Amino acid sequence: MFMEFFLPGARPYYRPNPLYEKLKLKEKLVMSFLNKLETENIDSCENFQEHKKEINFYRNLHNRLLLQSSVVKKSLVQVKQDYKEVKADWYLLQQYLTEMNLTVEEEQEKTSNLQKQQYQVSEAARELELATSQQESLLQNELPPQEPPAELPPQQPQTCLDESPSS
């Protein structure tokens, strides 16, 4: 309880109550703590919203990555199938090329043989022509010049009636 002392013309003096002062001090501490809690609460709410946005971003990112992964897997399957087809085509082309090379080699060999034969024939023909011309020149040198043969009288055509029966 307060004790009052009155002085003339002065305000009344109240003696401070130590419990009241303690309560005032505790109120300041509690209000400061409350203010601090409110500030932290506001910061936490803002952080929570930011984290929520990040969670949504990463969740969406994860979903997009899963989708892209499935697309890549599907395209990988298609690429593998295309690779097998291309490899089979390549093998067939390689076989065809090998066969074509063998055919070309055979044709070149035939052509070469034909060219050799043609050369041999032309050589033989040239030699034969040379031998013939040498023989003709020898014959012309050995034989005396001959007169052209006299003209033979024209023969009359025989008819089927003129023929004698053989049987």
Side-chain angles (χ1 to χ4, degrees):
M1 306 251 215
F2 293 106
M3 295 197 153
E4 297 182 31
F5 294 99
F6 291 106
L7 293 175
R11 291 184 172 169
Y13 175 71
Y14 297 104
R15 236 171 105 188
N17 185 346
L19 290 175
Y20 179 76
E21 291 298 323
K22 278 185 179 180
L23 275 177
K24 276 251 200 215
L25 186 61
K26 280 191 176 188
E27 180 193 19
K28 280 185 182 180
L29 286 173
V30 167
M31 290 307 285
S32 170
F33 183 71
L34 180 63
N35 192 12
K36 183 179 174 187
L37 284 178
E38 286 176 348
T39 305
E40 286 178 3
N41 186 26
I42 291 171
D43 289 343
S44 295
C45 286
E46 289 174 0
N47 285 339
F48 176 75
Q49 292 301 324
E50 287 178 23
H51 290 307
K52 204 171 170 183
K53 287 178 184 178
E54 283 185 32
I55 288 170
N56 286 335
F57 171 78
Y58 286 113
R59 185 176 294 139
N60 290 338
L61 180 63
H62 180 72
N63 289 336
R64 285 188 307 225
L65 290 174
L66 288 175
L67 180 65
Q68 285 180 350
S69 174
S70 67
V71 168
V72 166
K73 285 179 183 177
K74 287 179 183 176
S75 64
L76 180 64
V77 168
Q78 183 64 38
V79 166
K80 283 182 179 180
Q81 184 179 356
D82 292 347
Y83 173 75
K84 286 179 183 177
E85 291 173 6
V86 167
K87 192 174 180 181
D89 289 346
W90 179 81
Y91 179 74
L92 291 175
L93 286 173
Q94 192 176 22
Q95 283 183 328
Y96 179 71
L97 180 62
T98 303
E99 291 172 6
M100 289 299 291
N101 284 339
L102 291 175
T103 304
V104 166
E105 288 174 5
E106 290 172 0
E107 291 297 322
Q108 286 176 343
E109 189 176 319
K110 286 179 184 177
T111 303
S112 175
N113 289 340
L114 286 175
Q115 286 175 345
K116 285 178 186 176
Q117 288 175 357
Q118 186 179 11
Y119 178 74
Q120 289 172 350
V121 167
S122 66
E123 281 295 310
R126 191 178 62 77
E127 289 174 9
L128 184 60
E129 189 178 308
L130 185 60
T132 305
S133 66
Q134 286 176 352
Q135 283 181 354
E136 283 179 359
S137 79
L138 284 176
L139 284 176
Q140 285 179 357
N141 289 339
E142 290 178 7
L143 293 175
Q146 294 181 356
E147 293 180 21
E151 287 190 33
L152 296 174
Q155 292 183 351
Q156 292 181 355
Q158 293 181 357
T159 63
C160 291
L161 298 174
D162 290 343
E163 292 179 11
S164 56
S166 44
S167 5

